[in-house]
């Protein structure tokens, strides 16, 4: 938790990964992020992984440091309260549909400087999710050794969309601070995906070559990088991106003479050219396979570290979480009082600001935990009015309700 | 291209994916982003994919809409010019090391309100790349059908880091506008990765269960989603996230009765519970496999679209690029005059702002194309001084040089 965004308040009506992470990143930088949730939770409130009590470990991590106002969004009165909160606040992040009761034009009535950031599936409003967008742009057909397509497990498109949404929110606020004008920012997962294919040169590549890139398994396209297995059976990734790393790698493996022979036979120099190291992988890979298969991992890792060589053994997520450099000794983590009651390291902002004090991570809210506070503060509702809304089931306050929250 | 960030100027000294995309996103939103490049190009200037003339289709897409000042950064005079440009501008994005001639503390001498955003490998300064960070947190051991680990081909950690860096830059500028204080934002790939594992509930999950999640191939954890193959051999992804999608899917496939039988036998209802649909996948998957294998893709796709069901056939990147909804008819694309001379659809900002006019994408600069303009404007160097710096090889101006640019 840092305070870069102190003073900024954002209403968030969102589910799944992309839109919640946009709010999360803002909250971890000090913004007040107010989720407006369906009473009892929205469509992702019980999403796996869950505890034995069916509390979602997914939801409680994607929504740290936020507040929760619970409303019955199926009823006109609940919808009007959400609209009123958006208008009273002026900044809104959502993945609700373009049309309907949360359309920007409707919300901007009475609040013309409203900034709305809306995560979408396809740009035309039809539904899409990370896994289907990924298929649509072709990555599963390039992933793995083949022949079957492999979907990545990391929801990469959701995550990229969420971070870009946070960026776009601040950019739109920056413009408003100059011009006074608000507006809507629409961010379809499909455009993030195909735009990224373009940014990485993928559109140019397939049109230039007229073909798809070959499948490479765990090898990296266009440079020297691949997985190798050591004598003691540790599979490890090695990637070379600088001349120094290349020189140190072949020195560490004692491959200088063998590589000089290949360079002589083929009339090339690998010293400074990523592309040549990739192009001649038929000759290089077997050399490295043999050299690495003759050594144990521990010794190799020490030599690689000394040479500034980029490498990493494959490990499971459970093993990763035990790594003190990643978690226990990492200042981005701290303890928080989670709604599930389960205690574990909680993440704060990814970034570290050496000049600022990092405050500990905060917990996610309970459903409706801040309903009374926010409805009173933002909409000046009296305690009597709020009590009536709670009694009639329009507002939830984090006690009672279908889940006993 | 939009103008949300008009008036913002950023110096970028960066390579590979993460740091360049941070500058790209800012440039596409109207910031002036000035790359400072090694004369003849930095370590990624020839990165694949390349044309027959060895122009990088990767570089020219990651650096659209930016300016380029070329300096010999191996010489003190070149380094001092870069330092002076950073100080004169006040905003800096880089993946250069924490220490050395681009350390924040050194740059902030004479410019105390400087904002630096620095992309790093590991938080301690040791090198890491997307592929090795991914191994370090465990995703390859969860990807694919097993038993071997599978690295994703998409540089997801780089991309997430780049977008978050753009967000963090604007957040730090926002704070400076309030307090007058600058500072450094350090953003290690490793913290983005392990922090994301935490945000998605992964740390809590492995500590709660004491185990790793099983490998699921192309199935989605915790809900109903998987790849299926149609009668005519089309593999397609289907993902269900709402009760309505579930109801429409089983109706479209005529599976209502069969599913009611399973629900009766097992004493559960799948209508509203993602987790149960996943937990009982041993019974559900075979039903869907048979129903989908009995139908051709075209008819199924039409039925799925009518029911708001999220699905997508697997296709290659080459096929994706031919899809008019993604590229030819998509307003995020336009034509630009690329340094390679090859013409193809160029991407602008991912986001669409309905209230604003979208300007066409711009091209990447030639190495040193803006050296004279920027050195004159920012550092008030005379044409005589610049000519001397060019003659002595400290400054490149986009003509001559080792690559003939």
């Amino acid at each position: 938790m840092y305070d870069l965004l102190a003073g900024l308040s954002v209403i968030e009506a969102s589910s799944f990964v992309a839109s919640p992470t946009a709010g999360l990143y803002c909250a971890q930088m000090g913004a007040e992020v107010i989720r407006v949730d369906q009473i009892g939770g929205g469509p992702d409130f019980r999403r796996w992984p869950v505890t034995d009590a069916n509390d979602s470990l997914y939801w409680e991590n994607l929504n740290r440091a936020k507040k929760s106002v619970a409303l019955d969004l199926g009823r006109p009165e609940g919808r009007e309260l959400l609209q009123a909160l958006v208008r009273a606040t002026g900044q809104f992040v959502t993945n609700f549909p373009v049309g309907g009761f949360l359309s920007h034009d409707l919300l901007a009535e009475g609040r013309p400087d409203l900034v709305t950031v809306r995560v979408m599936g396809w740009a035309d409003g039809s539904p899409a999710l990370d896994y289907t967008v990924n298929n649509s742009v072709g990555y599963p057909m390039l992933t793995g050794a083949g022949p079957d397509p492999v979907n990545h497990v990391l929801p990469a498109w959701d995550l990229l969309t969420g971070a870009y949404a946070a960026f776009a929110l601040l950019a739109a606020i920056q413009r408003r601070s100059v011009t006074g004008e608000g507006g809507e920012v629409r961010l379809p997962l499909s455009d993030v995906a195909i735009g990224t294919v373009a940014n990485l040169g993928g559109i140019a590549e397939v049109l230039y070559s007229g073909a798809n890139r070959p499948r490479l398994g765990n090898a990296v396209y266009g440079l020297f990088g691949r997985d190798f297995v050591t004598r003691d059976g540790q599979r490890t990734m090695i990637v070379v991106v600088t001349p120094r790393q290349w020189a140190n790698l072949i020195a560490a493996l004692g491959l200088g003479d063998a590589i000089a022979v290949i360079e002589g036979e083929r009339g090339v120099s690998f010293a400074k050219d990523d592309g040549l190291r990739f192009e001649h992988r038929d000759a290089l890979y077997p050399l490295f396979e043999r050299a690495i298969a003759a050594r144990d991992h521990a010794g190799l890792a020490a030599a690689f570290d000394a040479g500034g060589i980029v490498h990493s053994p494959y490990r499971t997520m459970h093993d990763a979480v035990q790594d003190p450099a990643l978690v226990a000794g990492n200042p981005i983590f701290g303890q928080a009082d989670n709604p599930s009651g389960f205690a574990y390291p909680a993440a704060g902002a990814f970034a570290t600001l050496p000049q600022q004090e990092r405050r500990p991570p905060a917990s996610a809210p309970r459903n409706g935990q801040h309903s009374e506070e926010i409805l009173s503060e933002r909409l000046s509702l009296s305690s009597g009015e709020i009590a009536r809304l709670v009694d009639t089931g329009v507002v939830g306050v984090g006690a009672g309700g279908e889940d006993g929250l």
Side-chain angles (χ1 to χ4, degrees), chain A residues 319-363:
Chain A
D319 287 346
V321 173
Q322 317 303 322
D323 178 349
L326 276 176
V327 182
N330 186 343
I332 81 165
F333 287 98
Q335 291 292 327
D337 186 25
N338 300 308
S340 67
F342 180 53
Y344 53 87
F350 299 147
T352 292
L353 284 62
Q355 290 86 3
Q356 312 243 343
E357 190 186 356
R358 182 189 279 272
R359 287 178 287 125
S363 70

Side-chain angles (χ1 to χ4, degrees), chain A residues 281-308:
Chain A
R281 62 194 184 278
D282 64 304
L284 293 175
Y285 286 168
L287 279 185
F288 285 83
E289 284 168 8
R290 284 194 296 271
I292 291 166
R295 306 269 294 271
D296 286 342
H297 181 256
L300 271 182
F304 290 169
D305 286 343

